[in-house]
Amino acid sequence: RLQGDWSSDVCSSDLIIYCSGNDFIMKDIEDELDFFSRILNIDKSAIHALTESKVQVIFPGLMKFEQDQDYDEENDRSIERRKKDGSPYYALFFKKNDENEYMPYSALSSSEQSRLIIDLFIAKAREVCKQRLTLLLIDHLHYVLDKSNFMNLLNAFLNEDFQVAITLPPNRESDVIDKRKDGIYIQNHDFLYSWSLAVIE
């Protein structure tokens, strides 16, 4: 894993925010508002506050939740989409900074979805760390990022007030690890300057 340059270790009284891509599978009964509320472990009003905070750092743009629409082929018209329980289905829409229109979260690439989710976790960690020491642990979700986006992710944490640990994706090992006969070291790159390497057996 990679860990930030911490002044002290995390103790039991601190808060760990766990961001794992392995857990992020939507349930049949959920809409996207339910999904994001569950994975971030915050209520829906807080989700709206995060999406309106404009704190995106690795996937800049604007987010909003709106009731989604389905297409009624028989009557050739749009109808309001519903969840299995009949309640309105709310979907997340995202507009990149360099584009004019919002697009559904479901239409984003896996890399874009991952960056969007990580940005929301960063926003949450920023709020939580105002009250207590906070560790954001990112696992698996970033594995689809290419080298450029992985570098941007590491650089994004340099000026944050919370601590960060990131499991190292296998496809990024050659960009980070220097394997020698006497051990494993972190490479000498600018984007790794504030990070240290910890090997978990």
Side-chain angles (χ1 to χ4, degrees):
R1 72 179 181 186
L2 289 172
Q3 59 188 35
D5 186 12
W6 304 344
S7 58
S8 62
D9 291 333
V10 177
C11 64
S12 59
S13 63
D14 302 330
L15 180 67
I16 297 177
I17 300 175
Y18 185 46
C19 172
S20 173
N22 290 333
D23 300 330
F24 298 163
I25 300 174
M26 283 191 64
K27 299 178 180 179
D28 289 341
I29 60 173
E30 293 180 324
D31 63 6
E32 289 173 4
L33 182 57
D34 297 324
F35 168 71
F36 282 99
S37 178
R38 174 174 58 83
I39 67 174
L40 286 156
N41 195 27
I42 56 179
D43 62 34
K44 294 178 181 179
S45 61
I47 285 288
H48 285 292
L50 287 186
T51 58
E52 294 169 0
S53 61
K54 299 180 182 179
V55 297
Q56 293 87 352
V57 290
I58 60 172
F59 194 35
L62 299 175
M63 304 182 204
K64 64 179 180 179
F65 283 97
E66 289 186 349
Q67 185 169 358
D68 203 11
Q69 300 289 311
D70 272 332
Y71 179 66
D72 181 359
E73 294 184 1
E74 183 176 347
N75 297 300
D76 190 25
R77 64 186 179 92
S78 294
I79 57 174
E80 293 181 341
R81 187 177 177 184
R82 298 281 174 172
K83 295 192 291 185
K84 284 191 171 182
D85 64 1
S87 59
Y89 187 105
Y90 285 92
L92 178 65
F93 295 86
F94 183 81
K95 182 170 74 70
K96 301 176 186 178
N97 275 353
D98 57 351
E99 296 185 359
N100 296 322
E101 296 184 359
Y102 282 87
M103 63 187 304
Y105 167 80
S106 58
L108 299 175
S109 69
S110 57
S111 173
E112 290 171 332
Q113 289 180 351
S114 294
R115 283 182 281 157
L116 185 152
I117 291 174
I118 292 171
D119 267 332
L120 287 173
F121 270 90
I122 291 173
K124 177 184 177 180
R126 283 179 174 178
E127 293 302 314
V128 173
C129 76
K130 294 176 183 178
Q131 306 296 327
R132 61 195 300 188
L133 291 176
T134 303
L135 166 65
L136 175 59
L137 173 57
I138 300 177
D139 179 31
H140 262 91
L141 183 62
H142 56 300
Y143 280 27
V144 296
L145 302 185
D146 59 19
K147 181 178 180 179
S148 176
N149 283 316
F150 184 65
M151 290 171 55
N152 290 339
L153 173 63
L154 298 187
N155 287 328
F157 294 115
L158 294 181
N159 298 314
E160 299 293 347
D161 293 326
F162 53 86
Q163 301 173 345
V164 184
I166 302 175
T167 56
L168 182 59
N171 62 329
R172 299 273 68 86
E173 285 187 1
S174 61
D175 303 322
V176 174
I177 290 178
D178 181 7
K179 295 183 179 180
R180 306 176 191 172
K181 291 183 179 180
D182 60 338
I184 298 176
Y185 301 88
I186 195 165
Q187 292 190 22
N188 185 25
H189 296 310
D190 289 343
F191 74 97
L192 296 172
Y193 179 76
S194 296
W195 293 87
S196 60
L197 188 67
V199 180
I200 301 176
E201 300 293 343

